[in-house]
Amino acid sequence: MASCSLDVEPQTSILDASYYKTAAEAETALVGCYDGLQRTTSNGSLSFYVTSEVLADECFGATGSSDGRGYQALDRFDQSQSTSDNDFFNGTWTDYYAGIFRCNNLLQKIDKINWTGNETEYNSIVGQAKFLRAYMYFDLVRLLGNIPLITVPTTDNVPQDSAVTVYRQIAKDLVDAASKITYPSWSATWAASNDGRATQWAAKALLARVYLFYTGYYGKNDLAGVVTKSQALAGVEDVIKNGGYSLITSSATVKDKDGASHTLTPFARLWPASSVVSATDSTLNWDGYAGRGNSETVFAQKFNYTQDYNGNEDGNEWLVMMGIRNISIFPYGRGWGSCTVNPEFVSSFSSSDQRRTPSIIDFSESTLSGSTLAETFKAKSGLLNQREYTGYTVKKYTPLSLPNGDDEVTGKGSSSFQISQYQDFIAIRYADVLLMAAELGSSNALTYLNEVRKRAGLSDASSASEENIMNERKYEFAFEGIRYWDLLRQGINTAAKIISTPGISVLSGGNSDEVIINSSNIIKTNGLMQIPNTQITLSGGVLKQNAGWN
């Protein structure tokens, strides 16, 4: 289960005729549900994570200077940037509904098994399947608004439901998951064999995230009539008190290959790229890395390098979008150059904030040869291939390379830098639980807020005001796919004002350029994305397009 790598692709006839007879078969089908979630980002479709970064004020669309302008259309909320791109999320749509189908199928068929004496296992499997279904629906409904709500396996032409109906189902699924899953509190021993499993704690944390987004974006006082603010708060307080999680707060001193010592700050230890201190030609030295499934990981999407071109889909394919355009510069690996970082976002970090360096690749950093990343990138003609170069890109999620120029994944799986990336996506961190509890009005709100600030090397805040909490979230979760949704839930006008820019200087293909984002484009779309036109056509017009998109 460490990587959810079991590929479950049974034929429908096999499911109906001969499957779901034993608890072991139900467990295998559950792994297939995790695989369905993994496939929402592992098969090359436009990922929810990359979309979230492009839409926020943190990053620009970027990619290659000769590429189409689809990412610019998303970044500007403007179809005219790429009129031929009228199907951005078709692969995303089919990936998510395929994963949801697996959960629906398991939940429909699981009662065919005799669970007498195994009720705890039954509840756990049901709870995990409902968590995964809720997780996928939450991504889709935030992204697209009104969508079909399907809770049983069907091939019917299902129309869109209202967002409130979808959120009501999400809330019910998560409440049920939180009550049914009974895994113990986090421990290193438990995590070693169960990393990636949904727990009751993950369900309660996700429920709070759903509550905050829904009530903020739609201006409601409760979550679709299912969960109140006090209930959402009680859930995350339970995670804090009984989940066994903790922030990584200790530094690590590690030696490079020459014996020199390097100190990693606690925050740097959370991310592979910021934990690398040296390497041989075949192995990176990241001894200070806190590791996969550490005490701060409440829920992670798991990936592995066992991906190949024969249908085994385990790699993190969206990670390649984040890599430096076409060029590896140790320890950072090559990729497609999306999500260059907004320089105004970089400059807004406090100089004493220990999260800046582990979060951002600054091209003024020195390389092994003594030149800067920028000088090496330019010398290798990288500027000619990069659109919207700002001198900064994302470090938290980036491919890695070795000193000899090889990809870090060389010798692992298929060794393909495109499909064998295996960095997990940390969907929910314990720091998020603390800050959500503070925002929901915990009596310990200031304590929780200052725990996060202290780990970042900052002085205590004087109050746990909404402004202070939202500001802390901006830097704590930078480039983790959270910022855009935090902006949107503050109101479309607030989000549009923050995201819009009259023009920020960049380089595109080595030439001067500007990024201009008009707030009116964001407002007219309500911050939502385009329903895939292919799906509208396939539905015979039953599905309707969102405002502001062709």
Side-chain angles (χ1 to χ4, degrees), residues 449-463:
L449 172 61
N450 285 330
E451 278 189 55
V452 176
R453 288 182 60 81
K454 181 179 180 180
R455 196 264 295 278
L458 301 174
S459 59
D460 284 353
S462 58
S463 72

Side-chain angles (χ1 to χ4, degrees), residues 192-207:
S193 57
N194 293 280
D195 179 26
R197 288 274 187 180
T199 63
Q200 68 267 46
W201 319 116
K204 292 174 180 180
L206 183 57
L207 186 61

Side-chain angles (χ1 to χ4, degrees), residues 66-182:
S66 61
D67 289 343
R69 294 185 62 82
Y71 275 42
Q72 281 60 50
L74 296 178
D75 192 32
R76 276 77 154 167
F77 297 78
D78 182 5
Q79 184 75 60
S80 70
Q81 291 283 326
S82 185
T83 55
S84 62
D85 275 318
N86 61 6
D87 227 18
F88 295 119
F89 297 103
N90 189 52
T92 310
W93 177 285
T94 56
D95 291 344
Y96 272 86
Y97 276 108
I100 288 166
F101 172 86
R102 293 185 181 195
C103 295
N104 288 340
N105 207 58
L106 171 57
L107 291 168
Q108 185 184 68
K109 304 292 179 59
I110 192 169
D111 286 331
K112 293 170 61 177
I113 299 168
N114 181 359
W115 291 97
T116 303
N118 293 315
E119 289 83 4
T120 298
E121 183 178 6
Y122 167 83
N123 285 329
S124 177
I125 291 174
V126 169
Q128 289 175 77
K130 289 190 173 184
F131 173 91
L132 294 170
R133 183 170 68 180
Y135 187 107
M136 288 185 274
Y137 267 127
F138 184 42
D139 280 359
L140 281 176
V141 73
R142 280 184 292 172
L143 193 68
L144 301 171
N146 297 341
I147 55 173
L149 176 63
I150 303 171
T151 57
V152 295
T154 182
T155 57
D156 291 348
N157 187 7
V158 180
Q160 288 148 294
D161 279 285
S162 67
V164 64
T165 301
V166 179
Y167 276 100
R168 185 175 296 118
Q169 184 64 49
I170 291 169
K172 289 178 178 178
D173 276 353
L174 290 175
V175 168
D176 210 20
S179 68
K180 281 183 162 57
I181 307 172
T182 55

Side-chain angles (χ1 to χ4, degrees), residues 443-451 453-454 458-469 471-472:
S443 60
N444 297 313
L446 186 57
T447 298
Y448 297 156
L449 172 61
N450 285 330
E451 278 189 55
R453 288 182 60 81
K454 181 179 180 180
L458 301 174
S459 59
D460 284 353
S462 58
S463 72
S465 65
E466 181 179 358
E467 180 181 2
N468 284 346
I469 292 168
N471 189 63
E472 206 59 43

Side-chain angles (χ1 to χ4, degrees), residues 17 106 132 152 181 212 235 264 282 304 323 328 370 395 415 516 520 539:
L106 171 57
L132 294 170
V152 295
I181 307 172
L212 287 168
L264 297 176
S282 60
N304 215 327
S328 293
K395 186 183 292 186
S415 297
I516 300 172
S520 59
S539 75

Side-chain angles (χ1 to χ4, degrees), residues 385-428:
N385 294 313
Q386 176 69 62
R387 176 178 286 151
E388 296 170 357
Y389 173 83
T390 64
Y392 306 99
T393 191
V394 175
K395 186 183 292 186
K396 284 182 176 178
Y397 289 106
T398 188
L400 296 173
S401 68
L402 299 166
N404 64 3
D406 285 348
D407 303 302
E408 190 274 334
V409 298
T410 298
K412 298 179 173 72
S414 68
S415 297
S416 169
F417 82 99
Q418 297 189 68
I419 66 172
S420 294
Q421 301 296 333
Y422 60 99
Q423 182 177 350
D424 295 340
F425 174 58
I426 312 304
I428 307 174

Side-chain angles (χ1 to χ4, degrees), residues 236 239-241 244-248 295-298 426 428-435 448 451-452 477:
V236 283
V239 178
I240 294 167
K241 181 179 179 181
Y245 300 97
S246 62
L247 296 179
I248 302 297
S295 65
E296 194 160 332
T297 303
V298 179
I426 312 304
I428 307 174
R429 286 199 288 118
Y430 181 62
D432 197 6
V433 175
L434 292 172
L435 292 181
Y448 297 156
E451 278 189 55
V452 176
F477 307 119

Side-chain angles (χ1 to χ4, degrees), residues 520-536:
S520 59
N521 289 338
I522 304 169
I523 292 171
K524 74 181 182 181
T525 63
N526 295 308
L528 300 173
M529 292 292 99
Q530 179 195 78
I531 301 291
N533 277 281
T534 290
Q535 298 302 320
I536 293 174

